[in-house]
Amino acid sequence: MPTPTKLLKKDLNKFKVLIEKEIEMIRKELRKTEEHIKKSPREDAGDLSAYSIHLADQGTDTNETEKLLLFRGKTEKYFYKLEESLNKIKNSTYGICAGCGKPISKERLKAVLCASYCIKCKQEKQNSFE
């Protein structure tokens, strides 16, 4: 595999467009998720009574809300990483590995728009946690 080189201005602009599209898509997802969190699963189903009929229904409702909250948290984290990537583009540091300071391959950046580490450093970082 050839050694990655620092991204050119035109490449940075292409990644900027991709990241901005991804951010807009995530904003829409977060709005939808927030609407679902505000509504109870019973309201979504058309049941407007204040109380669940069965305890199991309450547990299901709680479980669904917890899953939505977990999804929202993960999506927000990804959103902030994408925004950080936009800042890196502005500072001309996008595509530079935070571990070794070498360029990250375009292929990796296409696969993971908010990648902060080259594959080698990412693998080393993961192996250190195992």
Side-chain angles (χ1 to χ4, degrees), residues 88-100:
K88 288 180 180 181
I89 288 174
K90 289 176 189 172
N91 299 334
S92 298
T93 58
Y94 181 75
I96 305 298
C97 179
C100 65

Side-chain angles (χ1 to χ4, degrees), residues 41-60:
R42 299 203 154 277
E43 289 175 299
D44 281 344
D47 183 359
L48 301 177
S49 64
Y51 300 99
S52 296
I53 297 171
H54 298 286
L55 222 45
D57 290 337
Q58 288 177 339
T60 300

Side-chain angles (χ1 to χ4, degrees), residues 3 10 23 28 30 34 38-40 47 49 53 55 57 66-67 69 73-74 79 96 101 103 111 125 128-129:
T3 304
K10 69 177 185 170
I23 285 174
K28 289 176 185 176
L30 285 171
E34 199 60 39
K38 288 179 182 176
K39 284 185 177 182
S40 73
D47 183 359
S49 64
I53 297 171
L55 222 45
D57 290 337
E66 286 177 2
K67 284 195 289 188
L69 290 170
K74 288 182 177 188
F79 178 84
I96 305 298
K125 188 175 178 187
S128 69
F129 288 116

Side-chain angles (χ1 to χ4, degrees), residues 23-34:
I23 285 174
E24 188 54 38
M25 186 181 74
I26 288 173
R27 279 189 177 127
K28 289 176 185 176
E29 283 182 31
L30 285 171
R31 278 187 222 114
K32 286 180 186 177
T33 303
E34 199 60 39

Side-chain angles (χ1 to χ4, degrees), residues 32-130:
K32 286 180 186 177
T33 303
E34 199 60 39
E35 288 172 15
H36 286 299
I37 289 171
K38 288 179 182 176
K39 284 185 177 182
S40 73
R42 299 203 154 277
E43 289 175 299
D44 281 344
D47 183 359
L48 301 177
S49 64
Y51 300 99
S52 296
I53 297 171
H54 298 286
L55 222 45
D57 290 337
Q58 288 177 339
T60 300
D61 292 352
T62 301
N63 188 35
E64 289 302 312
T65 302
E66 286 177 2
K67 284 195 289 188
L68 285 171
L69 290 170
L70 180 64
F71 173 76
R72 182 183 69 183
K74 288 182 177 188
T75 305
E76 285 175 343
K77 184 177 178 182
Y78 180 52
F79 178 84
Y80 292 122
K81 285 184 176 186
L82 288 170
E83 283 191 329
E84 183 180 300
S85 294
L86 281 180
N87 286 331
K88 288 180 180 181
I89 288 174
K90 289 176 189 172
N91 299 334
S92 298
T93 58
Y94 181 75
I96 305 298
C97 179
C100 65
K102 295 179 182 174
I104 300 171
S105 71
K106 288 182 194 177
E107 292 78 20
R108 173 149 172 76
L109 292 171
K110 286 176 187 173
V112 183
L113 290 172
C114 58
S116 294
Y117 295 93
C118 66
I119 291 174
K120 181 182 175 194
C121 289
K122 183 67 174 181
Q123 288 172 338
E124 288 173 2
K125 188 175 178 187
Q126 286 178 329
N127 290 341
S128 69
F129 288 116
E130 293 175 355

